[in-house]
């Protein structure tokens, strides 16, 4: 996956959520214990963290920095922070050499960090839309790309439905609902 995929996922998130910025974002985001506001701030945090990993290329552990979104930020302002952090991840991924590696529970390449950024963005947009009562599903093409990079053993089926099932957010006919999961970003 590429920086353009990250930018597109963030654009999808903001397009879906900006019209609902006047709703109460203190409600839980879907089945999460986090509020919609906290979940959106978490997306920004992850995007920035992944950008730092790609740029800093640590071999073990995450770089010791953190993003703090002002608690007084409105939902629209939090989405602007998400956009800014998405731009930073796109820049880091696009500037990195293909052979670059950085730690994410093992060595991970820039496309892996892009895939994780897209996954976090899509999955948490889904969580937030559920919390806000907005019907929405992740785009199938981005979902398929995430599945191909992070879930190589994904079952057949509609990509968005499979991604939601794999991450414990949905049902998949003939399969029990998942209660735990991990993705595989590190390269062997």
């Amino acid at each position: 996956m590429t920086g353009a995929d990250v930018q597109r996922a963030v654009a999808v998130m903001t397009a879906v959520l900006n019209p609902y910025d006047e709703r109460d974002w203190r409600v839980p985001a879907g089945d999460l214990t986090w509020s919609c506001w906290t979940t959106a701030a978490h997306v920004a945090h992850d995007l920035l963290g992944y950008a730092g990993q790609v740029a800093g290329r640590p071999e073990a552990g995450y770089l010791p920095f953190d993003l703090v979104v002002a608690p007084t930020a409105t939902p629209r302002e939090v989405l602007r922070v998400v956009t800014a952090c998405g731009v930073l991840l796109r820049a880091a991924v696009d500037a990195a050499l293909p052979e670059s590696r950085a730690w994410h529970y093992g060595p991970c390449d820039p496309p892996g960090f892009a895939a994780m950024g897209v996954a976090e963005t899509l999955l948490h947009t889904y969580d937030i839309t559920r919390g806000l009562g907005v019907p929405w599903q992740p785009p199938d093409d981005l979902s398929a790309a995430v599945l191909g990079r992070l879930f190589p053993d994904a079952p057949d089926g509609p990509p968005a439905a499979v991604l939601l099932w794999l991450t414990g957010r949905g049902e998949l006919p003939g399969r029990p609902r998942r209660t735990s999961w991990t993705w595989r970003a590190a390269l062997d």
Side-chain angles (χ1 to χ4, degrees):
M1 297 192 74
T2 68
D5 295 318
V6 173
Q7 183 174 350
R8 180 161 166 248
V10 169
V12 166
M13 178 183 194
T14 58
V16 168
L17 296 176
N18 269 328
Y20 304 100
D21 68 334
E22 296 294 324
R23 291 201 181 168
D24 183 1
W25 282 50
R26 295 172 296 180
V27 300
D31 293 335
L32 302 179
T33 58
W34 294 337
S35 69
C36 292
W37 188 98
T38 300
T39 303
H42 167 78
V43 172
H45 173 273
D46 282 353
L47 295 174
L48 182 63
Y50 296 156
Q53 290 301 98
V54 173
R57 299 188 318 216
E59 294 178 12
Y62 269 87
L63 294 174
F65 75 97
D66 203 0
L67 171 70
V68 176
V69 178
T72 57
T74 66
R76 188 169 291 268
E77 289 170 327
V78 176
L79 291 173
R80 285 188 196 130
V81 176
V82 170
T83 298
C85 292
V87 168
L88 293 171
L89 179 54
R90 178 187 182 155
V93 166
D94 289 349
L97 297 173
E99 64 272 11
S100 294
R101 299 293 180 266
W103 186 86
H104 182 81
Y105 303 97
C108 184
D109 60 352
F113 281 100
M116 289 188 292
V118 170
E120 289 284 349
T121 304
L122 296 180
L123 292 168
H124 289 312
T125 299
Y126 177 77
D127 296 331
I128 295 167
T129 58
R130 288 190 58 221
L132 298 176
V134 176
W136 182 79
Q137 290 256 322
D140 275 334
D141 61 331
L142 285 174
S143 297
V146 166
L147 293 173
R149 178 57 179 84
L150 300 179
F151 297 98
D153 298 329
D156 291 334
V162 171
L163 179 61
L164 294 173
W165 174 76
L166 281 166
T167 58
R169 289 170 171 86
E171 304 291 332
L172 204 57
R175 297 181 182 269
R177 187 168 181 125
R178 296 187 94 183
T179 58
S180 66
W181 57 275
T182 58
W183 56 46
R184 191 170 64 203
L187 302 171
D188 297 328

